[in-house]
């Protein structure tokens, strides 16, 4: 008589798009799933409880997966699959030490995130939220030569911090606006930069020569707090700062001072610290700061594909098979 194989346990920390759930329900005989059935984050205590004994964990960027969570999960845990390309919420050293595999979602969200970053740049530089507000509140009295002027991309210098997948896709989208020079920084020069005539320059050169600075690097110990007082003080007074990477790359107190004092022209942020940004945060009092709620990858189709890829990674990791997008540690 065949022994009945025990199902592996999976914990999913949130509701995710149905594309992923369908794949999971088709994988009969592999795992039993428990899910935090909400659009809001799982409370930490609940995560620590529900992860116990799990073989697989499907998480989001808002779940901090550290030694405490890994200890709570125990020795069964084989795979952590995050529905994000960023992995700064995962304690990589601890995960590696325990031999746990990681799945993530590069590439599939590159276009959506680049598109949103360009939208944010244009909205910030051309003051769209201010304009919309003026129309609604009766501030629009006439066509006025000096009113609501901003900055255009034509003939400008754009500096991209981190010319990776998303940085490159942003550069490709910005060039047709008539950008004259495309500067970038990173740890190493990139062969693909030639496609956008990218010039690899030291950070200081990028900061002082750019009319638009776009941050699209990953959050690491080296990039944490990279954009601080010294950084903003080197920027042109007419320059626009855009961040769609992670909030912690920016020192927000220093950014506030730079915007308030007119040291820089404007900032557009898709990411902040913390998230959500409290509604009484000083940055939200500034007209020259546009803040979005971390929606870079938020198109229906992109989130569907991310969900499917996250589940495929999870299933591959559970069964000891290839994962379509494994983060190699
Ligand atoms: P990639 O790994 O392709 O690119 C990351 C880039 O960061 C690389 O070019 C790397 O350059 C650069 N980088 C690393 N360290 C430094 C440094 N010290 N100084 C300057 N650049 C550095 O990742 P993606 O482009 O796919 O994603 C980038 C990030 O975007 C993610 O990590 C995530 O945080 C964020 N993101 C945000 C989204 C949103 O909704 N707003 C959506 C998706 C992603 P090098 O190789 O030379 O080190
Ligand atoms: C990521 O994937 O890292 C983004 O921040 C959300 O899509």
């Amino acid at each position: 008589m065949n022994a009945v194989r025990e199902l592996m346990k999976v914990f999913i920390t949130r509701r995710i798009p149905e594309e992923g759930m369908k794949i999971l329900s088709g994988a009969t005989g592999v795992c039993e799933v428990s899910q935090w059935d909400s659009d809001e984050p799982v409370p930490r205590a609940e995560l620590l409880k529900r992860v116990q004994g799990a073989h697989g964990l499907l998480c989001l960027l808002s779940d901090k997966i550290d030694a405490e969570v890994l200890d709570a999960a125990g020795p069964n845990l084989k795979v952590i699959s995050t529905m994000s390309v960023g992995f700064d919420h995962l304690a990589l050293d601890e995960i590696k030490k325990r031999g746990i595999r990681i799945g993530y979602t590069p590439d599939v969200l590159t276009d959506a995130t680049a598109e949103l970053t360009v939208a944010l740049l244009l909205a910030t530089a051309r003051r769209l939220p201010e304009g919309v507000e003026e129309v609604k509140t009766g501030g629009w009295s006439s066509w006025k030569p000096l009113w609501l002027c901003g900055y255009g991309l034509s003939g400008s210098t754009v500096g991209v911090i981190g010319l990776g997948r998303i940085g490159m896709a942003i550069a490709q989208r910005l060039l047709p606006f008539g950008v004259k020079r495309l500067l970038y920084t990173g740890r190493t020069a990139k062969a693909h930069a030639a496609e956008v005539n990218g010039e690899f320059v030291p950070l200081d050169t990028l900061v002082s020569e750019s009319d638009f600075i776009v941050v699209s690097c990953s959050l690491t110990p080296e990039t944490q707090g990279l954009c601080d007082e010294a950084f903003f003080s080197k920027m042109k007074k007419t320059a626009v700062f855009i961040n769609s990477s992670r909030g912690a790359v920016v020192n927000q107190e220093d950014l506030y001072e730079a915007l308030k004092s007119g040291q820089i022209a404007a900032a557009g942020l898709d990411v902040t610290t913390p998230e959500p940004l409290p509604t009484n945060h000083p940055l939200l009092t500034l007209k020259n700061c546009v803040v979005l709620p971390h929606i870079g990858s938020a198109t229906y189709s992109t989130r569907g594909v991310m969900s499917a890829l996250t589940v495929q990674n999870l299933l591959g990791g559970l069964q000891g098979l290839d994962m379509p997008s494994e983060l190699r540690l």
Side-chain angles (χ1 to χ4, degrees), residues 85-86 88 109 113 161-167 185-188 190 216-218 222-223 244-246 270-271 294-297:
V85 66
D88 49 279
L109 44 56
T113 307
I161 299 183
L163 197 71
R165 289 172 291 249
I166 295 171
T185 60
R187 286 172 298 187
T188 54
K190 303 280 176 261
S216 54
C217 58
S218 31
E222 292 77 46
T223 60
S244 61
S245 68
R246 285 289 183 268
D270 184 42
V271 286
H294 201 151
I295 52 171
S297 64

Side-chain angles (χ1 to χ4, degrees), residues 61-281:
L61 58 88
S62 45
D63 304 313
K64 191 173 164 50
I65 307 301
D66 54 12
E68 189 185 24
V69 173
L70 301 173
D71 288 343
N76 284 348
L77 194 60
K78 290 166 176 286
V79 57
I80 297 168
S81 183
T82 181
M83 194 177 129
S84 62
V85 66
F87 46 81
D88 49 279
H89 55 300
L90 307 179
L92 299 184
D93 288 354
E94 296 291 337
I95 293 171
K96 187 173 179 181
K97 215 161 66 186
R98 292 163 170 83
I100 298 165
R101 295 169 76 189
I102 298 177
Y104 71 141
T105 64
D107 300 310
V108 297
L109 44 56
T110 296
D111 288 345
T113 307
E115 190 173 276
L116 187 281
T117 307
V118 172
L120 176 59
L121 184 151
L122 292 171
T124 305
R126 297 299 304 273
R127 304 171 64 179
L128 301 195
E130 271 184 86
V132 170
E133 192 59 20
E134 294 287 6
V135 172
K136 286 186 183 166
T137 57
W140 182 17
S141 61
S142 148
W143 187 91
K144 290 181 273 191
L146 297 175
W147 192 50
L148 280 179
C149 294
Y151 298 93
L153 279 160
S154 182
S156 70
T157 296
V158 169
V160 178
I161 299 183
L163 197 71
R165 289 172 291 249
I166 295 171
M168 184 66 186
I170 294 168
Q172 284 165 335
R173 282 159 177 75
L174 289 180
L175 280 190
F177 283 93
V179 168
K180 197 163 144 204
R181 287 179 74 205
L182 195 293
L183 314 180
Y184 75 99
T185 60
R187 286 172 298 187
T188 54
K190 303 280 176 261
H192 61 237
E195 286 171 44
V196 290
N197 294 324
E199 300 170 41
F200 186 56
V201 295
L203 182 66
D204 278 0
T205 308
L206 181 146
V207 174
S208 60
E209 295 186 7
S210 296
D211 300 302
F212 297 89
I213 294 180
V214 181
V215 184
S216 54
C217 58
S218 31
L219 174 62
T220 67
E222 292 77 46
T223 60
Q224 174 132 18
L226 180 77
C227 306
D228 60 3
E229 187 186 357
F231 179 103
F232 295 120
S233 70
K234 288 177 200 132
M235 281 176 65
K236 295 181 185 178
K237 284 195 160 30
T238 51
V240 174
F241 175 82
I242 303 295
N243 182 17
S244 61
S245 68
R246 285 289 183 268
V249 174
V250 176
N251 179 318
Q252 288 177 174
E253 286 72 38
D254 294 351
L255 174 61
Y256 173 80
E257 290 305 327
L259 288 166
K260 178 94 182 147
S261 67
Q263 174 60 49
I264 70 170
L269 312 173
D270 184 42
V271 286
T272 60
T273 326
E275 294 184 359
L277 195 65
T279 52
N280 64 354
H281 194 280

